[in-house]
Amino acid sequence: MMSAVTRNIAVSVETSFLDHDSDPDEQYFVWAYRITIENRGQETVQLISRHWQITDAQGRLQEVR
């Protein structure tokens, strides 16, 4: 699990390989991501956007907005 805290907001990412949806013989691999966002501060906050950058083992970048 990867995690980081910025200004009392903790973001954690847990990855899971989805074997039943993948086809390694065809070089097709499916992963699931569980994102947890936790407010560790006293202020009320609101998530207004998100932007994930996912880099695979070959260095290819995929962006999710």
Side-chain angles (χ1 to χ4, degrees):
M1 180 184 306
M2 300 289 296
S3 61
V5 179
T6 304
R7 296 173 48 196
N8 290 322
I9 304 298
V11 179
S12 301
V13 180
E14 184 178 351
T15 59
S16 300
F17 177 65
L18 301 181
D19 186 45
H20 62 280
D21 293 322
S22 298
D23 187 353
D25 293 335
E26 295 295 323
Q27 296 294 301
Y28 183 73
F29 305 96
V30 179
W31 293 82
Y33 302 88
R34 172 182 232 135
I35 311 295
T36 304
I37 303 171
E38 177 185 4
N39 181 1
R40 295 185 179 171
Q42 297 299 315
E43 293 182 53
T44 299
V45 297
Q46 180 180 5
L47 179 66
I48 56 174
S49 69
R50 65 194 183 7
H51 178 202
W52 311 115
Q53 293 181 323
I54 304 166
T55 305
D56 68 14
Q58 283 75 42
R60 294 177 296 215
L61 178 66
Q62 180 180 7
E63 295 191 47
V64 178
R65 293 186 184 269

